[in-house]
Amino acid sequence: MNDHDAPEETVWEGRFIVARKRGKWEYVSRTRGISAAVILAIDDGEVILVEQYRVPLGKRCLELPAGLVGDEDEGESVEASAARELEEETGYRPARIETLGYFHSSPGMVSEGFTLVRATGLTRVSDGGGEGDEDITVHRVPLTGIVDYVAAKRAEGVAIDVKILTLLGPSILGG
């Protein structure tokens, strides 16, 4: 029997994640089938980024703003969740949210996927920073300086989320 025909077993389940096993593969899923929205927010040639402490990494991480879809309201759309999360985390309210596609960031270890959206027509309505103890720092970075900015953050010891590659693509490809 190959691994994709093997029955799926739940090894452990917590409030937010569940560890599963299928054949020799061990992986993690979100409970309740919740996925995430990741927000590419660009305003006047600048991208809005967030930096926050991530417990699994043991340090701060530079990321695109993001949040869970349906964690507060099961019927909430990806676009509504993305707009809500962008405002909570960054203080920017978008006029428009455009869905760019559904992606998986680490399919060998995590079943979770995310919908990438583009937020435009941004209006600053608050300082952002997240809710409760999220301690989110908001950065506005010129797209023309993103490569140097990411390199400087990495040199400071800040982790870089894989989704930042959406901004680095041309420099990596030699363009």
Side-chain angles (χ1 to χ4, degrees), residues 104-123:
H104 296 271
S105 59
S106 187
M109 188 174 131
V110 179
S111 67
E112 178 188 41
F114 64 91
T115 301
L116 181 64
V117 301
R118 180 178 15 243
T120 55
L122 305 181
T123 301

Side-chain angles (χ1 to χ4, degrees), residues 126-145:
S126 74
D127 291 337
E131 293 186 329
D133 63 351
E134 285 184 304
D135 187 28
I136 295 171
T137 303
V138 180
H139 302 284
R140 269 186 81 102
V141 182
L143 287 169
T144 57

Side-chain angles (χ1 to χ4, degrees), residues 58-147:
K59 59 180 161 181
R60 294 186 69 78
C61 187
L62 185 67
E63 309 170 3
L64 294 174
L68 297 177
V69 176
D71 63 329
E72 294 182 16
D73 174 3
E74 284 189 34
E76 189 176 42
S77 69
V78 168
E79 295 80 9
S81 293
R84 176 180 49 78
E85 289 288 348
L86 183 64
E87 188 171 329
E88 286 173 9
E89 291 190 0
T90 70
Y92 287 92
R93 182 175 294 152
R96 289 169 306 286
I97 298 281
E98 172 190 5
T99 298
L100 301 176
Y102 193 78
F103 299 88
H104 296 271
S105 59
S106 187
M109 188 174 131
V110 179
S111 67
E112 178 188 41
F114 64 91
T115 301
L116 181 64
V117 301
R118 180 178 15 243
T120 55
L122 305 181
T123 301
R124 189 81 188 250
V125 296
S126 74
D127 291 337
E131 293 186 329
D133 63 351
E134 285 184 304
D135 187 28
I136 295 171
T137 303
V138 180
H139 302 284
R140 269 186 81 102
V141 182
L143 287 169
T144 57
I146 193 68
V147 172

Side-chain angles (χ1 to χ4, degrees), residues 17-39:
I17 61 170
V18 57
R20 301 186 190 278
K21 185 174 182 179
R22 183 181 299 266
K24 68 179 182 212
W25 286 91
E26 297 173 341
Y27 56 97
V28 178
S29 300
R30 286 207 180 268
T31 58
R32 299 181 291 141
I34 290 177
S35 67
V38 176
I39 306 136

